[in-house]
């Protein structure tokens, strides 16, 4: 099947990936109410079709935090992407760079900061507040040395949400032996993935935190270390600590409330991502798109406002721009594409979003992505 949409990449990834890894990226927390809301609330928004507007000139580019993006889209941080395709984060970075959009590298990536930066383009770097401040400081130093232009500080994960699919698939829970047997069976049933990952994709560690973990070498050992090191005591005052060790732009990721957005401004952030962690943390909260408008209205003049969660097409991107986002970050979309076919599939996914965004802009009379506003949403 040749993918024509983001949902097609999801199906292709489902066929190619072992069940444990497909369910890990595809699922949300608890009953997945927020996961569904993210998509459904964007779908419920209607664009306002306008015609006869002279759309010969079309400009999708946006400027943000000292960078020019060829379209208002970026790749959101996705953990363990290097388990979906050989050296997956590097493949995704190359696709993003060719498309002229940023990629944000997860703390829990298989490929290290340095390996991804060696592709020729340094990623934005995503960081959690960890109890081990010494290791956090070293990560910030490494990100700076690698040339990462932006730090994305994720604040909505003081502890991991409960993800039922991961338990059912055997990815979490059970004994180490049970997990190993499940993973071995999954690998045997997916030979193309096994060949790609185990012949060309090793080592399978979380590269950026590899030195911190002494008690094991499996991916699950690294994830367990991260989970133990999430810091529940973090407050807005801790942004000051981050600023002491990072002199570039800071983007706070995981904001859904207007008061928290105002707090991010007071803390000195240069941007924020309206996000509920893709429906993977606190289930039952509002969708990202429903929170976007009020937050953009409250603080959009003070910092850059981005959004992630539920974005599945270029049409969705334009809806988010209309409600005040400077750009959208897609997570599952690129993870599915990577799992479906590596770098070429990620590049194809970005091309699809670009083409869809062009149609949406032309048929709403929006010549310039920077001028998108609420007038593009049909209020009837």
């Amino acid at each position: 099947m040749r993918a024509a949409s983001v949902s097609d990449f999801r199906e292709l990834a489902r066929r190619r990936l072992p069940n444990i890894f497909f369910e890990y990226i595809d699922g949300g927390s608890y009953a997945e109410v927020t996961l569904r809301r993210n998509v459904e609330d964007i779908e419920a928004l209607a664009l306002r079709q306008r015609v006869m507007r002279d759309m010969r000139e079309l400009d999708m580019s946006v400027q943000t935090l000292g960078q020019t993006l060829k379209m208002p889209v970026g790749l959101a941080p996705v953990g363990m992407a290097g388990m979906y395709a050989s050296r997956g984060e590097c493949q995704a970075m190359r696709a993003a760079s060719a498309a002229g959009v940023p990629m944000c590298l997860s703390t829990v990536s298989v490929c290290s900061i340095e390996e991804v930066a060696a592709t020729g383009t340094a990623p934005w770097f995503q960081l959690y507040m960890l109890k081990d401040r010494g290791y956090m400081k070293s990560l910030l130093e490494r990100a700076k040395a690698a040339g990462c232009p932006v730090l994305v500080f994720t604040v909505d994960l003081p502890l991991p949400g409960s993800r039922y699919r991961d338990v059912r698939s055997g990815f979490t829970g059970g004994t180490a032996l049970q997990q190993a047997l499940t993973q071995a069976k999954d690998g045997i049933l997916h030979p193309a993935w096994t060949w790609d990952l185990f012949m060309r994709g090793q080592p399978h560690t979380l590269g950026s935190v590899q030195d911190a973990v002494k008690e094991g070498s499996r991916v699950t050992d690294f994830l367990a270390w991260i989970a133990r090191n999430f810091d529940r005591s973090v407050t807005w005052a801790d942004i000051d600590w981050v600023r002491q060790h990072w002199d570039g732009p800071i983007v706070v990721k995981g904001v859904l409330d207007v008061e928290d957005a105002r707090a991010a401004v007071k803390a000195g952030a240069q941007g924020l991502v309206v996000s509920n962690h893709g429906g993977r943390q606190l289930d039952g909260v509002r969708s990202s798109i429903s929170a976007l408008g009020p937050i953009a209205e409250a603080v959009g003049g003070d910092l850059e406002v981005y959004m992630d969660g539920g974005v599945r097409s270029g049409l969705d991107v334009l809806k988010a721009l209309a409600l005040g986002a400077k750009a959208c970050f897609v997570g599952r979309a690129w993870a599915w594409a990577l799992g479906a076919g590596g770098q070429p599939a990620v590049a194809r996914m970005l091309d699809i979003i670009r083409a869809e965004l062009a149609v949406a802009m032309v048929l709403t009379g929006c010549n310039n992505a920077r001028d998108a506003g609420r007038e593009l949403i049909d209020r009837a």
Side-chain angles (χ1 to χ4, degrees):
M1 178 177 76
R2 178 170 169 77
S5 68
V6 166
S7 62
D8 288 344
F9 287 114
R10 178 184 183 275
E11 174 58 21
L12 290 169
R14 187 191 66 78
R15 297 178 188 178
R16 181 178 177 273
L17 293 176
N19 185 56
I20 56 171
F21 290 115
F22 176 76
E23 295 288 6
Y24 175 78
I25 189 59
D26 195 63
S29 63
Y30 301 94
E32 301 186 346
V33 173
T34 298
L35 175 62
R36 293 190 295 273
R37 281 179 183 163
N38 277 345
V39 176
E40 292 168 355
D41 287 357
I42 296 179
E43 289 177 342
L45 289 172
L47 290 167
R48 183 184 176 202
Q49 180 170 299
R50 302 297 305 278
V51 296
M52 307 293 281
R53 306 281 288 183
D54 187 1
M55 299 300 294
R56 286 173 293 181
E57 300 294 328
L58 200 65
D59 187 353
M60 295 184 188
S61 67
V62 296
Q63 286 77 44
T64 186
L65 300 181
Q67 296 180 270
T68 298
L69 317 186
K70 290 186 178 179
M71 64 174 170
V73 173
L75 305 189
V78 171
M80 298 196 303
M83 297 305 294
Y84 310 143
S86 172
R87 314 316 291 165
E89 292 90 0
C90 291
Q91 293 199 52
M93 183 74 260
R94 293 187 186 99
S97 180
V101 301
M103 171 187 167
C104 184
L105 184 68
S106 171
T107 296
V108 291
S109 59
V110 169
C111 299
S112 69
I113 307 166
E114 294 82 2
E115 184 180 354
V116 176
T119 63
T121 304
W124 294 18
F125 184 62
Q126 176 269 331
L127 185 66
Y128 301 109
M129 182 61 81
L130 302 176
K131 294 175 183 175
D132 188 341
R133 296 293 200 270
Y135 203 78
M136 274 190 71
K137 181 175 179 289
S138 73
L139 284 174
L140 290 169
E141 291 170 347
R142 289 169 59 189
K144 183 176 180 179
C148 297
V150 176
L151 178 70
V152 177
F153 187 52
T154 297
V155 297
D156 62 350
L157 215 161
L159 77 169
S162 181
R163 298 163 192 169
Y164 297 157
R165 286 209 223 178
D166 290 347
V167 176
R168 293 167 183 149
S169 72
F171 185 69
T172 60
T175 66
L177 177 59
Q178 288 171 327
Q179 290 181 10
L181 290 174
T182 297
Q183 293 171 23
K185 178 183 176 182
D186 252 353
I188 292 170
L189 295 175
H190 297 83
W193 173 87
T194 300
W195 173 264
D196 182 40
L197 263 291
F198 286 88
M199 295 297 103
R200 303 191 299 135
Q202 298 196 55
H204 297 153
T205 64
L206 299 186
S208 294
V209 298
Q210 180 176 358
D211 295 340
V213 181
K214 309 300 183 184
E215 60 269 34
S217 59
R218 298 178 305 158
V219 167
T220 49
D221 296 324
F222 290 90
L223 291 176
W225 180 87
I226 288 285
R228 290 195 302 272
N229 269 277
F230 286 134
D231 191 349
R232 302 189 199 185
S233 71
V234 64
T235 70
W236 290 106
D238 289 293
I239 299 292
D240 292 336
W241 183 92
V242 176
R243 177 59 70 196
Q244 291 173 21
H245 305 285
W246 180 265
D247 57 6
I250 296 175
V251 174
V252 174
K253 180 179 182 294
V255 175
L256 281 182
D257 187 270
V258 168
E259 291 308 310
D260 285 343
R262 292 193 175 110
V265 173
K266 292 179 181 178
Q270 284 69 51
L272 65 82
V273 184
V274 179
S275 173
N276 50 43
H277 217 96
R280 293 169 65 80
Q281 280 298 100
L282 180 60
D283 197 25
V285 298
R286 68 189 307 175
S287 65
S288 295
I289 195 73
S290 70
L292 172 62
I295 288 175
E297 185 174 349
V299 302
D302 300 312
L303 43 59
E304 300 284 53
V305 176
Y306 311 107
M307 191 200 87
D308 71 19
V311 178
R312 301 290 185 265
S313 71
L315 283 68
D316 296 345
V317 172
L318 188 60
K319 291 175 183 179
L321 298 185
L323 293 181
K326 175 60 69 75
C328 289
F329 283 83
V330 296
R332 288 183 178 86
W334 79 262
W336 290 331
L338 184 70
Q343 179 179 336
V346 178
R348 169 73 177 152
M349 181 273 297
L350 289 169
D351 285 343
I352 288 171
I353 288 180
R354 186 188 304 277
E356 292 168 339
L357 179 58
V359 171
M361 290 176 65
V362 168
L363 287 174
T364 57
C366 179
N367 294 83
N368 193 316
R370 298 186 294 277
D371 296 332
R374 288 175 179 264
E375 70 280 357
L376 301 183
I377 302 297
D378 193 336
R379 300 295 181 179

